[in-house]
Amino acid sequence: MSSKDRVLGRIRRALRDAAPEGEIPRDYLPVHGVRTPAARVDLLAAHLAEYRAVVHRTHEEALPALLTRLLDARGARSVLVPPGLPPHWLPAGGPTRVPDRAESTPYELDLVDSVVTGCALAVAETGTIVLDGGPDQGRRRITLIPDHHVCVIRVPDQVVDSVPQALPLLDPARPLTWISGPSATSDIELDRVEGVHGPRTLEVVLMGTQ
Amino acid sequence: MTGTYLGMPAMPATPRMPAVPATPEVPSFPEAAREAVRDGVLRANLRHATHTIRDKRARAVAELADWDRLRAAGRAVKDHTLRHLDRYLLQLEEAVTAAGGTVHWAADADEANRIVTDLVRATGEREVVKVKSMATQEIGLNEALEAAGIAAYETDLAELIVQLGHDRPSHILVPAIHRNRAEIRDVFRTEMGRWGRPAPGSLGDDPRELAEAARLHLREKFLRAKVAVSGANFMVAETGTMVVLESEGNGRMCLTLPETLISVVGIEKVVPTFRDLEIFLQTLPRSSTAERMNPYTTMWTGTMKGDGPTAFHLVLLDNGRTDTLADETGRQALRCIRCSACLNVCPVYERAGGHAYGSVYPGPIGAILSPQLRGTARAIDASLPYASTLCGACYEVCPVAIDIPEVLVHLRERVAQGGPATRAGIRVTLRPADGHTAERAAMRAARLLLDHPGALRAGERLLARARRLAPRRLPGAGRAWTDSRELPTVPPESFRDWWAARERSTPR
């Protein structure tokens, strides 16, 4: 008998006398509170900042100048760029662009200073951005190895209130990364320290339309 | 080994990780706890940590007006899944396979260890990086890999502290909760160089400095790793999606950089639908780290061309879970999502610490989970249901409403009286545990006396007259009882005699 059959057999014997269970109550709240789109974006910004992400606000025309300034301020000499990042976001003449390529080794990525991506959506109530590996976000590892991640969120369109609102918009077949503030640990006397293995600095740009 | 770091990882010729001390003869809970409560540093570390996190948790939970409804829904999803566990596991296997993964079934720890060892060997690699996982600790995977000549590197900061310190984890979420910063610095200074990049010679005890030392030490391992081993917080039957919640990014490193990913997951971790995650992604972070959301959550479904590992293996682990499922009262322990909120509120855990529980699952949940997964034959497992004051705080904070006190009482009854149970899938009748024979004899004697008032009265008078001779500690089998309790002093007169005298002298 295979282990699969053995385990399944044990489960069936264990449940022989189990009573049928009731319905799953789904009366929990889909959203906590009623917000205007602007208030939703404000809440997202507040929650991101509380977990030590650096939040900036701009509009599409001013985005290239802002990104240039952020990369300059870090002294970034190279920046990872997902294949579908809108070309006009990063003006020519800035840090060397490193394309997101399957054949890059982790060691090569470790030499890159910064990464700029979009996102799939953001969740205001938890201060979370979600990446789904889309063309403007790239492979999971490019937002992990460089020490500086700049993520651009189109507001208010990409912002939802809550986790229950976020899940139906995501495709589980894609690799998903939920990011709430930069890498952190509380393993030493429960003192929170940011930046252990993931990027030490997470900058979030809330990009509205003008 | 000390000295200057020259850029090359200082690997010993044969990589041998500090193994978790093998503890075949685990002392029972009262014995182990007696040691722990005498340790002032340990108690101070634990008290500081548990009080900090329990206060933060209460604030995080209070933010959600629908907490009670989320809790009820989480409980119902888990109960429903357990009720149809066979169906959901088959659905999960199909979905994972369709997405390019391979599913293995392991009935017990040995089989799971064998499967993982063979999978690592097949890659030709001799080392693996590990994401913190209770399931792999439960089965002793690191030791099994070491015996096969494979080095397993823990990458969670707390697990690294535990591993480098030749220590055992003391908490589900914060395994090094019992260590303070000075102790951690000492461990890093003396041990890091033996397994890779040494800690800087000037390393201080500031948490930032310590985290930075861990970052540098582990980064060389992440970047070269070809094989990773993880657990999972949830597995979605409908889609085959695996979910890991973490904070540091060591999880993301292990889950996305290596070529081969092996996940060892208890069969109770499956949930039916992707939508069900909306409940647990709200309740788990708030219950465990008291955050609205943990910094990183990774979800993956099979393999994805060009992104992440090219081979994914899922090892579904039973190892006593189906035996637990067979117990009508005890099966609710399988709802556990390993948040550790029950540890942080438990007055017994706070004083005794995690090691006293003799299991990778300490605290109240460990007191009901370990004796069910392992059976109650050993002294430690027979003593765990008694490692509680039954105050009920653990039930109050549990995000999936496990009635831990109810299961504790149920397991106490099983230990004291014996009765039917399931071990390795077979129905057995347990005998009462040895230590409880005297207790049952005493109860039988008490019943005899209470049924014969004359005998009771005579006994009481005899005892009152001989009270100067009464010992402070009971001899023989009763000694265990008086070791931890004061024997009451015998009054000069029994209540019944006093009452009778009062009735005679008081005019009606």
Side-chain angles (χ1 to χ4, degrees):
Chain A
M1 186 162 54
S2 74
S3 292
K4 175 178 171 181
D5 293 337
R6 188 172 301 130
V7 173
L8 289 173
R10 288 177 185 177
I11 291 170
R12 285 166 189 150
R13 279 198 302 281
L15 296 170
R16 213 163 25 203
D17 304 321
E21 83 299 332
E23 286 288 290
I24 294 167
R26 301 269 183 191
D27 57 351
Y28 49 85
L29 301 173
V31 181
H32 298 85
V34 183
R35 298 177 194 100
T36 61
R40 191 175 303 132
V41 174
D42 288 346
L43 184 69
L44 174 68
H47 283 169
L48 282 165
E50 195 175 318
Y51 285 146
R52 306 283 191 277
V54 185
V55 181
H56 309 272
R57 290 174 184 254
T58 189
H59 52 87
E60 185 141 19
E61 291 72 35
L63 181 70
L66 174 64
L67 291 180
T68 302
R69 187 161 60 78
L70 296 181
L71 294 173
D72 274 357
R74 288 282 300 193
R77 288 156 303 170
S78 54
V79 57
L80 257 160
V81 183
L85 197 79
H88 63 276
W89 283 10
L90 285 177
T96 311
R97 290 157 171 259
V98 180
D100 171 23
R101 297 183 311 164
E103 56 272 25
S104 300
T105 67
Y107 291 100
E108 287 163 1
L109 298 178
D110 196 29
L111 299 172
V112 181
D113 295 318
S114 299
V115 56
V116 177
T117 71
C119 70
L121 56 83
V123 186
E125 288 182 4
T126 57
T128 306
I129 54 180
V130 184
L131 309 184
D132 70 355
D136 61 345
Q137 300 149 53
R139 292 170 178 80
R140 282 173 279 178
R141 58 188 193 163
I142 68 167
T143 55
L144 174 63
I145 301 180
D147 211 19
H148 179 219
H149 177 198
V150 184
C151 180
V152 180
I153 306 173
R154 298 170 196 271
V155 299
D157 300 354
Q158 286 189 311
V159 185
V160 299
D161 275 304
S162 64
V163 171
Q165 285 186 343
L167 282 164
L169 303 176
L170 296 168
D171 177 1
R174 305 185 68 89
L176 301 172
T177 304
W178 299 53
I179 299 173
S180 310
S183 160
T185 184
S186 301
D187 280 347
I188 302 166
E189 295 185 24
L190 295 179
D191 261 9
R192 190 178 162 101
V193 176
E194 277 85 31
V196 192
H197 306 300
R200 270 181 270 225
T201 309
L202 172 66
E203 299 202 71
V204 177
V205 178
L206 304 174
M207 182 183 73
T209 43
Q210 197 58 333
Chain B
M1 194 182 100
T2 54
T4 314
Y5 178 62
L6 298 172
M8 280 297 288
M11 282 292 293
T14 315
R16 282 182 59 83
M17 285 306 295
V20 172
T23 46
E25 287 303 317
V26 183
S28 70
F29 182 84
E31 285 175 64
R34 194 173 297 121
E35 287 295 310
V37 293
R38 281 201 206 108
D39 185 338
V41 176
L42 175 74
R43 286 187 63 168
N45 293 353
L46 280 170
R47 189 185 151 74
H48 167 71
T50 55
H51 282 252
T52 305
I53 200 163
R54 82 167 72 154
D55 296 344
K56 275 180 68 187
R57 179 200 162 273
R59 286 197 294 275
V61 165
E63 270 191 14
L64 297 186
D66 58 339
W67 184 259
D68 289 341
R69 282 172 275 173
L70 283 166
R71 186 177 185 240
R75 171 198 173 138
V77 167
K78 283 286 187 175
D79 280 350
H80 168 85
T81 316
L82 291 171
R83 177 67 186 81
H84 304 284
L85 192 56
D86 51 342
R87 166 153 60 92
Y88 285 120
L89 288 173
L90 287 170
Q91 190 187 6
L92 174 75
E93 180 183 43
E94 200 174 315
V96 170
T97 309
T102 309
V103 177
H104 311 260
W105 299 69
D108 56 30
D110 288 345
E111 190 173 14
N113 287 332
R114 207 161 48 237
I115 292 168
V116 177
T117 306
D118 289 347
L119 287 170
V120 178
R121 278 191 173 141
T123 66
E125 295 295 318
R126 299 288 297 276
E127 63 178 45
V128 301
V129 285
K130 283 191 68 208
V131 192
K132 176 174 172 306
S133 133
M134 302 304 296
T136 60
Q137 277 178 29
E138 175 191 320
I139 62 175
L141 178 65
N142 290 10
E143 294 75 18
L145 288 174
E146 194 195 329
I150 298 163
Y153 297 111
E154 293 291 348
T155 65
D156 171 77
L157 177 53
E159 289 287 357
L160 177 73
I161 295 165
V162 168
Q163 191 177 38
L164 290 177
H166 309 267
D167 199 354
R168 287 182 293 133
S170 166
H171 190 279
I172 290 175
L173 180 80
V174 204
I177 196 169
H178 57 298
R179 297 286 207 161
N180 63 31
R181 58 187 71 191
E183 296 174 296
I184 294 167
R185 178 202 54 205
D186 293 345
V187 167
F188 279 12
R189 273 185 178 170
T190 52
E191 299 290 335
M192 263 186 177
R194 296 169 63 184
W195 319 115
R197 179 171 175 151
S202 59
L203 184 68
D205 65 2
D206 179 58
R208 284 182 188 283
E209 271 183 77
L210 295 169
E212 180 67 16
R215 177 188 176 99
L216 296 172
H217 177 81
L218 286 172
R219 185 153 281 231
E220 62 167 39
K221 295 188 170 64
F222 289 134
L223 297 184
R224 71 164 184 248
K226 296 283 188 286
V227 185
V229 175
S230 82
N233 294 92
F234 303 100
M235 315 184 276
V236 181
E238 170 191 49
T239 58
T241 306
M242 313 291 297
V243 185
V244 167
L245 282 70
E246 50 125 5
S247 296
E248 295 169 11
N250 67 304
R252 291 180 64 194
M253 289 277 183
C254 294
L255 298 169
T256 58
L257 293 188
E259 292 160 8
T260 301
L261 171 59
I262 305 164
S263 299
V264 182
V265 189
I267 52 176
E268 82 283 14
K269 294 284 181 100
V270 66
V271 296
T273 67
F274 192 62
R275 182 192 172 182
D276 293 323
L277 296 175
E278 73 190 14
I279 301 164
F280 302 109
L281 286 180
Q282 294 190 80
T283 52
L284 178 52
R286 286 176 203 262
S287 293
S288 57
T289 53
E291 293 167 306
R292 294 189 190 97
M293 187 70 90
N294 49 293
Y296 294 135
T297 297
T298 299
M299 301 184 187
W300 75 98
T301 305
T303 55
M304 181 85 178
K305 195 170 159 36
D307 187 352
T310 48
F312 169 58
H313 295 275
L314 171 61
V315 182
L316 292 172
L317 178 71
D318 179 346
N319 203 38
R321 285 160 176 76
T322 50
D323 294 340
T324 310
L325 188 65
D327 188 303
E328 207 178 316
T329 306
R331 68 169 62 121
Q332 57 183 307
L334 296 176
R335 278 187 223 141
C336 177
I337 54 175
R338 311 281 190 264
C339 73
S340 73
C342 63
L343 278 62
N344 300 326
V345 296
C346 178
V348 177
Y349 175 85
E350 183 187 327
R351 286 159 182 85
H355 291 161
Y357 293 80
S359 146
V360 298
Y361 303 108
I365 186 63
I368 64 168
L369 199 52
S370 304
Q372 296 201 83
L373 293 178
R374 303 192 297 207
T376 48
R378 297 193 306 161
I380 176 67
D381 293 310
S383 70
L384 283 176
Y386 295 86
S388 166
T389 63
L390 299 181
C391 75
C394 49
Y395 173 54
E396 292 300 316
V397 297
C398 179
V400 283
I402 301 170
D403 192 340
I404 295 176
E406 181 191 19
V407 183
L408 284 166
V409 171
H410 169 70
L411 293 175
R412 286 181 187 189
E413 189 179 311
R414 178 189 292 174
V415 169
Q417 310 209 344
T422 305
R423 297 310 307 152
I426 297 162
R427 291 293 279 179
V428 294
T429 304
L430 299 177
R431 287 183 312 159
D434 288 344
H436 294 267
T437 330
E439 191 175 314
R440 281 182 306 118
M443 291 312 284
R444 270 202 303 275
R447 196 180 311 133
L448 181 82
L449 279 174
L450 293 170
D451 285 348
H452 298 82
L456 180 61
R457 188 174 304 129
E460 283 173 350
R461 285 192 186 137
L462 188 64
L463 192 61
R465 277 174 208 143
R467 70 196 166 96
R468 282 182 216 291
L469 307 174
R472 295 182 60 86
R473 300 176 71 185
L474 290 175
R479 200 171 63 215
W481 199 82
T482 49
D483 272 353
S484 52
R485 296 172 182 84
E486 293 290 319
L487 198 60
T489 48
V490 180
E493 187 180 26
S494 77
F495 175 76
R496 291 148 58 96
D497 285 351
W498 172 82
W499 180 260
R502 181 182 169 277
E503 288 292 285
R504 277 196 300 274
S505 62
T506 313
R508 286 172 195 270

